[in-house]
Amino acid sequence: MTWREAGGPPVGSVSRKGFGSFILLEFPKQFGGDATLDYQSGGLVYALKLPLDAITDKPPSGTPAG
């Protein structure tokens, strides 16, 4: 999934990352995924990649059905 912001004020690079950035970037790792934040001049771009089995209702392979 990619989130693109547009039409807002110009975006510059950040000198520090806060709690929100930490959650956006670290949370996907709990599910075998990855994320990036790109502070482009036209707006923020957030890209989230997760394995399909991390976002479906079926149990992970090797897990007994409950």
Side-chain angles (χ1 to χ4, degrees):
M1 175 197 83
T2 300
W3 173 273
R4 281 183 205 283
E5 294 183 347
V11 176
S13 61
V14 295
S15 58
R16 71 175 193 86
K17 291 189 164 87
F19 183 69
S21 296
F22 175 80
I23 294 298
L24 289 171
L25 295 171
E26 296 299 319
F27 183 72
K29 294 177 183 176
Q30 300 297 313
F31 299 95
D34 190 33
T36 59
L37 281 171
D38 186 7
Y39 297 91
Q40 298 180 359
S41 61
L44 175 73
V45 177
Y46 174 69
L48 172 65
K49 296 177 186 175
L50 290 173
L52 186 58
D53 65 345
I55 57 173
T56 58
D57 287 340
K58 69 178 185 175
S61 57
T63 303

